[in-house]
Amino acid sequence: MRAVEPVRAGYAEREGVRLYYEVFGEGSRPTLFLLPTWSIIHSRQWKAQVPYLSRHFGVLTYDGRGNGRSDRPQTPEAYTAAEYARDALAVMDAAGTERAVLVSLSIGAQHALRLAADHPERVDGMVFIAATVPLAPGHSVRSAHSFTEPLATTEGWARYNAPYWRRDFVGFLEFFFSRMFSEPHSTKQIEDCVAWGLETDPETLIATARAPWLTEAETLALCGLVRCPVLVLHGDQDEISPPARSVALAHATGGALVTLEGSGHGPHGRDPVTVNLLVRDFAGSIAAHQDAQPSAAPPPAVWRRARARKRRALLVSSPIGLGHARRGLAIARELRRLVPDLEIDWLAQDPVTRVLEAEGERIHPASAHLANESRHIESESGEHDLHVFQAWRRMDEILLANFMVFLDLVRAEPYDLWIGDEAWELDYYLHENPELKTAAYVWLSDFVGWLPMPDGGEREAALTADYNAEMIAQIARYPRVRDRSIFIGDADDIVPERFGPGLPWIREWTEAHFRFSGYIGGYDPAELPERSRLRAELGYGPDEQVCLVTVGGSGVGRDLLARTVAAFDEARQRVPVLRMVAVAGPRIDPRGFGEREGLEVLPYVHGLYRHLAAADFAVVQGGLSTTMELVAAERPFLYVPLRHHCEQNFHVHHRLLRYGAGRKLDFDEASPAAIAEAIASDIGRTVRYRPVRSGAARRAAEIIAELL
């Protein structure tokens, strides 16, 4: 799922070539025109820029000829800088964009120069990223082999060879993008670009590569015609185009040069936070000059001395599971007891906001800008199947967009404390950009370490180990980013596994880097009414056997809900006093499951923990929050982990085994008959689980309050 969809899309046509374009943030000025590079990738290369920049400016993108949804001419002459420049002008005309700030990558610099020189009245400014222009020699290793003749070797840059592309196109793409993203732990960026590269074909790319480049003299002549502000960005570890080219380009255009130390040829993908901020500031300065909009937020009407300010905390809560909201509320209540003047804002989204609104919490208005993570997770799910690790990897665009929302907020408003409850975007990008940390920061999590699913093979094992290794390296390099790390559980709840081959044991590493609160539920079982009274309050009769079915806050549990409802008739034959209450949750339509005597299907139910504690049996997914609420209430239950969900299948399952709680059933075995049998055999059964330590929310709050 994309973080933001275009407000308009269409095709421009020039000399028989159709060019697909998209418009974002329409009505804001200036417009940023994100140009294509050569035909190896299309406009999705800008996915890390579009959501953020389109909240502040207009944004226009298009698929360059040769890839994406645009046409694919087959002659080299069709891919010159002049042709691309004319395409860009045609797209501007079709989109109704009178003027724009041009943003280019690599050889797209040549297209931008041509357009700015030929039509200066249409160009407000130019941003060059990793410019590939003939103003300095290229890397000698790249030109050591013939492009057109078959080669005896396929090592290194010998793969930049037309016969090799025809023979092993995937092999070339994997090699090229591994050189483009030379930074460690760039698997996702490489994977994305290979997929985009496969949307064209070798012959089209060969035609693109054989197109005549601008000469040095032509480039200097074009630079001399540039009259607008210029910003040049280049990574000093660029293995595609040497930084000296951007140095010369900045000098020739009178532009500002920013060297990105440690970055490669694709900093817009690998270091997007920094690139986004640099582009925003540059475009903002142009807007200020044009009086189109202020380049920065206006000065506040009131300023308050630091010591006179109230203490403020911002709690960023993951929407993937309502348990985050419930434990966040429990911690917030305890924090307010410990720090009475503390004001707490929430940066949250549906369905977490439903829980918070019901409790009267303050949801910061910036939350409206968050891209919907729950919808993405639902789009990644199948029949009770969610490969959570891969879904999380593919959520990178959304996570970055949401971090930029957070960053805009905390740059505009002062907070004493940030709390991230499995707010992965916050934790990752703060470690990648530690200079952006301006408040104390607390990280909360109930599991540590990605684990591969067995059917993922060596590829998934390598990927999970790489992600774990990156996290370990981030924390080792910048231990000051996390002021406190709190594990929501006990040390014995941690799986006895390594992070990967040659990496530490998860438990040993976690014990060295986290403090342990114990499990934090959304309520204290001791505060509930006596069970018969609770049942009466909820409308459950003393002679009924209540089976509660709940499948979480997202729409992923629809299939388990349907199977359990399908088990009702058989289960009631075996348990005549059975009453089944199925809770669809906030993102599943309860209509269509069919109600009959003894069966009811409800939408979202606030205070669901009360119903779980009152029930005689429960059927649930393998999520931690719901299962641990059942453990705390000592109720029998059946849990069916989502297929390919490493947290539910490994981390949660390990914890439930430690508590001696629940009956696990794989979804492939969870037929209506099997579910009916489990209900009939276990409903009302007396259970004795390992006790759940009380006071966990207060312990977590005490750890956090040390920072206040």
Side-chain angles (χ1 to χ4, degrees), residues 647-667:
E647 184 185 359
Q648 292 189 6
N649 282 278
F650 300 132
H651 295 275
V652 177
H653 179 57
H654 168 77
R655 192 180 299 218
L656 294 177
L657 286 177
R658 186 173 91 82
Y659 280 92
R663 177 197 288 199
K664 177 177 179 287
L665 191 63
D666 291 335
F667 187 72

Side-chain angles (χ1 to χ4, degrees), residues 46-75:
W46 299 112
K47 71 174 190 176
Q49 282 65 58
V50 168
Y52 177 64
L53 295 176
S54 64
R55 284 198 292 111
H56 300 282
F57 311 105
V59 172
L60 174 63
T61 68
Y62 82 100
D63 293 342
R65 52 176 60 205
N67 204 322
R69 282 174 276 193
S70 293
D71 289 347
R72 290 152 172 69
Q74 294 294 303
T75 63

Side-chain angles (χ1 to χ4, degrees), residues 449-451 463-473 499-500 503:
W450 295 107
L451 295 175
L463 282 176
T464 52
D466 183 69
Y467 274 73
N468 290 335
E470 183 178 28
M471 180 269 295
I472 292 168
F499 285 106
L503 296 175

Side-chain angles (χ1 to χ4, degrees), residues 450-625:
W450 295 107
L451 295 175
M453 298 305 297
D455 61 1
E458 294 182 3
R459 167 70 175 166
E460 187 169 319
L463 282 176
T464 52
D466 183 69
Y467 274 73
N468 290 335
E470 183 178 28
M471 180 269 295
I472 292 168
Q474 285 177 328
I475 292 169
R477 176 62 183 87
Y478 290 107
R480 64 181 173 84
V481 170
R482 293 182 181 177
D483 294 283
R484 298 289 186 274
S485 298
I486 301 175
F487 184 82
I488 311 300
D490 301 311
D492 287 341
D493 293 327
I494 300 172
V495 293
E497 302 283 350
R498 286 188 181 274
F499 285 106
L503 296 175
W505 288 94
I506 296 175
R507 175 168 178 170
E508 291 178 3
W509 186 89
T510 305
E511 287 180 311
H513 292 86
F514 280 71
R515 291 166 71 172
F516 296 84
S517 66
Y519 180 72
I520 301 174
Y523 73 103
D524 183 350
E527 295 178 356
L528 288 175
E530 185 272 329
R531 190 160 174 270
S532 61
R533 181 180 151 203
L534 176 63
R535 285 173 64 93
E537 289 179 4
L538 297 175
Y540 299 142
D543 298 327
E544 292 178 323
Q545 293 278 292
V546 178
C547 173
L548 193 74
V549 186
T550 178
V551 291
S554 73
V556 179
R558 186 186 310 273
D559 296 295
L560 176 60
L561 186 67
R563 279 201 191 179
T564 308
V565 168
F568 171 74
D569 290 338
E570 182 175 344
R572 199 171 197 210
Q573 288 179 1
R574 302 178 64 171
V575 184
V577 292
L578 176 67
R579 177 179 176 183
M580 180 178 287
V581 179
V583 181
R587 297 188 64 82
I588 298 175
D589 189 345
R591 298 169 297 182
F593 288 96
E595 294 191 16
R596 45 201 176 276
E597 183 182 357
L599 169 67
E600 52 195 308
V601 183
L602 305 177
Y604 169 72
V605 174
H606 187 65
L608 184 63
Y609 65 89
R610 292 165 53 84
H611 295 262
L612 290 169
D616 298 287
F617 187 72
V619 179
V620 299
Q621 280 184 34
L624 181 64
S625 299

